[in-house]
C-alpha cells in the first residue's frame, strides 16, 4: 500500500454499503472489509482489465459474497445506492460528471487528482456538507500533493472564494503544513514564469494567481 492509499484509508468510516468507484487495484476496499467497516462493498471500474486486479486481490471476499465486482462508468451501473462512496485518483471534472449523471452519495470521500476547485463548487452548489477538505503529501525528496474531500450529501455549506480555490482545512489552521509547502512551491514557480515574455491575458491570469497564493499563505501563517 502506498503512502497515498494509506492516508485515504485513514479517512474511511463505517458504512452499510460501500462503493470504491474507479477501484483499479482494490486496496481501499480490502481495508474496509478487513477492518469490518462495511457489510458489503462494490468494487467498480470502467475498465474490465483494471477491475480484474481488484477481483484477484479480493477473491475470497467475493467468493463469500461480501464484495461485488461491477464494470461500470461512475455510479451509473451500481445496482443499489451505496451509503459511502470513495472515488480516488480521478480528475475533479470526471467526478463532477459522475455526480451529475447520478447523485451525490449520502457520505463521500473524494481524492481528485486535479480540478478540486470545480468539485468543491459543485458539491456546495448542490447542498452537500463538506466535513474535511485538506491537502496531504506523499514522499520526502519529490513531494506529491493530493486533495481530499470528505462529506455528506445533505446539510449545506458556505465557502469563501479562497476556500473554493484552496480547500477549507488548509486555510483554517486544521491542516496547514502540506498546503503551505505546496502553495509556496507554486508561488515560486509563478514568480519565475512571470519573468518570461507572454501574452497580456496570460500575464494577468498569473498575476491574479500570485495574489491569491500570497493571500492564502498569509491567511495560514497569520494563524500559526
Ligand atoms: C488512477 S486509477 C485510481 C485507482 C484507485 N482509485 C486509486 O486511487 O489508487 C483510476 C481508475 O479509475 C478508472 N476509471 C476512469 N474513469 C472511470 C469512470 N468514469 N468510472 C469508473 N472508473 C473509471 C480507471 O480505469 C482506473 O482504473
Amino acid at each position: 500500500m502506498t503512502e497515498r492509499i494509506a492516508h485515504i484509508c485513514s479517512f474511511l468510516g463505517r458504512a452499510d454499503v460501500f462503493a470504491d468507484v474507479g477501484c483499479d487495484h482494490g486496496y481501499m476496499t480490502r481495508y474496509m472489509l478487513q477492518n469490518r467497516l462495511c457489510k458489503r462493498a462494490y468494487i467498480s471500474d470502467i475498465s474490465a482489465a483494471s477491475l480484474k486486479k481488484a477481483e484477484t486481490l479480493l477473491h475470497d471476499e467475493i467468493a463469500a459474497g461480501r464484495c461485488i465486482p461491477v464494470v461500470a462508468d461512475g455510479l451509473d451501473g451500481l445496482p443499489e445506492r451505496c451509503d459511502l462512496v470513495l472515488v480516488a485518483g480521478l480528475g475533479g471534472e470526471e467526478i463532477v460528471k459522475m455526480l451529475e449523471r447520478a447523485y451525490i452519495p449520502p457520505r463521500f470521500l473524494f481524492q481528485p487528482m486535479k480540478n478540486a476547485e470545480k468539485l468543491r463548487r459543485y458539491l456546495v452548489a448542490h447542498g452537500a456538507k463538506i466535513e474535511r477538505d485538506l491537502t496531504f503529501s506523499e514522499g520526502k525528496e519529490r513531494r506529491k500533493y493530493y486533495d481530499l474531500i470528505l462529506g455528506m450529501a445533505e446539510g449545506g455549506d458556505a465557502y469563501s472564494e479562497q476556500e473554493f480555490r484552496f480547500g477549507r482545512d488548509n486555510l483554517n489552521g486544521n491542516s496547514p503544513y502540506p498546503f503551505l509547502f505546496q502553495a509556496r512551491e507554486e508561488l515560486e514557480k509563478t514568480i519565475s514564469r512571470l519573468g518570461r515574455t507572454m501574452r497580456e491575458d496570460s500575464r494577468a491570469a498569473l498575476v491574479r494567481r500570485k495574489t491569491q497564493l500570497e493571500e492564502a499563505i498569509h491567511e495560514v501563517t497569520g494563524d500559526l
Side-chain angles (χ1 to χ4, degrees):
M1 225 199 262
T2 64
E3 226 181 298
R4 179 186 66 90
I5 293 173
H7 203 91
I8 294 169
C9 287
S10 72
F11 281 83
L12 284 168
R14 286 189 184 282
D16 280 336
V17 187
F18 168 71
D20 182 354
V21 174
C23 63
D24 195 22
H25 41 72
Y27 287 124
M28 280 87 128
T29 298
R30 184 174 67 175
Y31 171 88
M32 287 294 289
L33 291 167
Q34 276 185 345
N35 289 286
R36 308 218 163 264
L37 289 173
C38 62
K39 290 184 184 150
R40 64 182 175 281
Y42 286 92
I43 40 172
S44 100
D45 204 290
I46 198 167
S47 148
S50 294
L51 185 63
K52 192 82 205 142
K53 297 181 223 167
E55 287 176 303
T56 304
L57 183 81
L58 295 161
H59 177 271
D60 293 351
E61 301 285 4
I62 293 170
R66 295 180 66 213
C67 180
I68 305 115
V70 188
V71 175
D73 181 354
L75 300 165
D76 298 344
L78 295 174
E80 63 179 312
R81 284 209 166 209
C82 302
D83 55 307
L84 172 62
V85 173
L86 167 70
V87 189
L90 280 87
E93 268 184 37
E94 183 66 37
I95 300 174
V96 167
K97 280 184 202 150
M98 283 180 190
L99 304 180
E100 278 171 344
R101 286 200 312 267
Y103 58 96
I104 299 180
R107 297 188 62 75
F108 55 80
L109 180 60
F110 298 138
Q111 184 262 296
M113 296 302 282
K114 56 183 177 173
N115 294 321
E117 179 178 343
K118 283 196 178 153
L119 181 54
R120 291 185 189 106
R121 286 188 190 277
Y122 181 85
L123 290 168
V124 171
H126 290 82
K129 177 167 185 55
I130 298 181
E131 295 168 300
R132 298 304 309 273
D133 182 1
L134 54 93
T135 301
F136 67 95
S137 63
E138 179 183 62
K140 295 224 160 50
E141 295 292 301
R142 288 177 62 111
R143 214 181 268 264
K144 286 189 191 164
Y145 300 97
Y146 302 99
D147 292 296
L148 198 63
I149 301 173
L150 171 77
M152 50 178 82
E154 292 188 0
D157 223 325
Y159 258 53
S160 70
E161 283 301 304
Q162 282 289 82
E163 285 170 343
F164 277 128
R165 282 182 202 115
F166 297 113
R168 185 161 56 196
D169 289 322
N170 291 326
L171 299 178
N172 66 13
N174 280 340
S175 176
Y177 284 110
F179 171 70
L180 267 184
F181 288 126
Q182 184 190 34
R184 283 175 175 145
E185 278 176 22
E186 191 188 335
L187 181 59
E188 235 174 76
K189 281 187 198 147
T190 307
I191 291 168
S192 146
R193 285 174 65 198
L194 279 168
R196 298 181 206 151
T197 314
M198 68 184 78
R199 280 177 19 192
E200 265 321 298
D201 53 342
S202 309
R203 177 169 300 280
L206 272 186
V207 168
R208 255 196 320 276
R209 184 66 179 175
K210 176 173 170 283
T211 306
Q212 290 163 359
L213 284 162
E214 284 169 343
E215 284 176 3
I217 291 167
H218 180 73
E219 197 169 332
V220 182
T221 51
D223 283 346
L224 292 178

